[in-house]
Amino acid sequence: MPVDTRHPQYEENLGLWTMCEDAAEGEHVVHSKGIKYLPKLHEEKPQDYEARKNRTPFFNATWRTISGLKGLVFRKAPQVEFPAGIAEYLDDVDMTGRTLNLFAQALTEQVLKVGRAGILVDHPPLPLDVNGDPLSVAAAEALGLRPYMAMYNAKQIINWKTARVRNITQLSLVVLEEMASTDAEDEFGHGGEMRYRVLDLFEGVYRQRPFRKTENGQDAL
């Protein structure tokens, strides 16, 4: 099966997740979906339907509830315990300038919105030094290579499997869908393509493999 195969539970919940996201986004998104949320009346003319849709308000109780619950969760600053060696990382946990507290708030918002989210703790590949040996920790940090956290929303976690490992049921496969930037036609354009990050256990060892879809199927990067 192709790398973009979706878990049956993903297919079952996708419509519900989309509805929750639309409701949280508010009136402009609900109106843009047209007949999905406001059915057209029998023999109603297009211009009459548009006029009725535009004068039909949407009270965004969904976002008010999410915002209120998130405020309750973070009404007090979280107490964080961590080794001294990673203290400097907490000011930028995802390599985008977001602090641990802001990252936790964004994660909580995703969970309140659709009921699930994922965090991948990763580290960029380490190059070898001039002697062919792995870089030291200090040399890697000097190049900006350090652990970071990446958040994935429910729609990006498209497939998963579990297996018994050391007599414990654990995740043995996770497939993440992500948009990667590609070269555009000119300096002001924006290019992108869908890619898939496969995390699995192979003969008891964790591995990570990126894939891309091509016209002839799927290729590993």
Side-chain angles (χ1 to χ4, degrees), residues 111-167:
V111 174
L112 289 171
K113 190 180 297 182
V114 300
R116 71 181 307 185
I119 303 174
L120 173 63
V121 181
D122 202 4
H123 195 294
L126 291 177
L128 302 178
D129 63 18
V130 293
N131 299 317
D133 298 322
L135 289 180
S136 65
V137 174
E141 290 183 348
L143 294 174
L145 303 176
R146 65 168 180 83
Y148 66 94
M149 302 167 71
M151 187 186 312
Y152 289 82
N153 62 43
K155 288 183 176 180
Q156 292 177 288
I157 309 170
I158 66 171
N159 202 1
W160 58 91
K161 291 183 179 180
T162 58
R164 296 290 290 180
V165 180
R166 298 184 182 88
N167 206 32

Side-chain angles (χ1 to χ4, degrees), residues 49-202:
Y49 173 78
E50 287 298 317
R52 180 166 64 90
K53 182 184 70 174
N54 292 333
R55 66 173 180 266
T56 302
F58 175 76
F59 179 73
N60 196 349
T62 303
W63 175 249
R64 287 172 170 81
T65 302
I66 292 172
S67 180
L69 290 175
K70 187 176 73 170
L72 288 174
V73 172
F74 291 93
R75 66 187 184 280
K76 293 184 179 179
Q79 300 297 311
V80 182
E81 297 181 4
F82 53 88
I86 67 169
E88 61 181 294
Y89 299 160
L90 302 186
D91 292 330
D92 182 8
V93 296
D94 61 356
M95 305 286 279
T96 67
R98 188 155 49 177
T99 65
L100 179 62
N101 187 50
L102 290 177
F103 187 91
Q105 290 188 40
L107 179 69
T108 301
E109 183 178 308
Q110 283 294 320
V111 174
L112 289 171
K113 190 180 297 182
V114 300
R116 71 181 307 185
I119 303 174
L120 173 63
V121 181
D122 202 4
H123 195 294
L126 291 177
L128 302 178
D129 63 18
V130 293
N131 299 317
D133 298 322
L135 289 180
S136 65
V137 174
E141 290 183 348
L143 294 174
L145 303 176
R146 65 168 180 83
Y148 66 94
M149 302 167 71
M151 187 186 312
Y152 289 82
N153 62 43
K155 288 183 176 180
Q156 292 177 288
I157 309 170
I158 66 171
N159 202 1
W160 58 91
K161 291 183 179 180
T162 58
R164 296 290 290 180
V165 180
R166 298 184 182 88
N167 206 32
I168 300 175
T169 300
Q170 299 182 15
L171 278 172
S172 59
L173 170 76
V174 177
V175 181
L176 304 171
E177 184 178 78
E178 53 193 31
M179 181 63 68
S181 298
T182 58
D183 293 335
E185 295 181 356
D186 58 65
E187 62 179 313
F188 303 111
H190 299 276
E193 67 176 7
M194 193 63 70
R195 294 182 183 174
Y196 302 88
R197 190 178 300 273
V198 178
L199 320 173
D200 66 349
L201 294 176
F202 180 71

Side-chain angles (χ1 to χ4, degrees), residues 3 178 195-198 208-212 219-221:
V3 69
E178 53 193 31
R195 294 182 183 174
Y196 302 88
R197 190 178 300 273
V198 178
Q208 184 176 143
R209 294 172 294 157
F211 286 83
R212 60 189 297 193
D219 292 333
L221 296 179

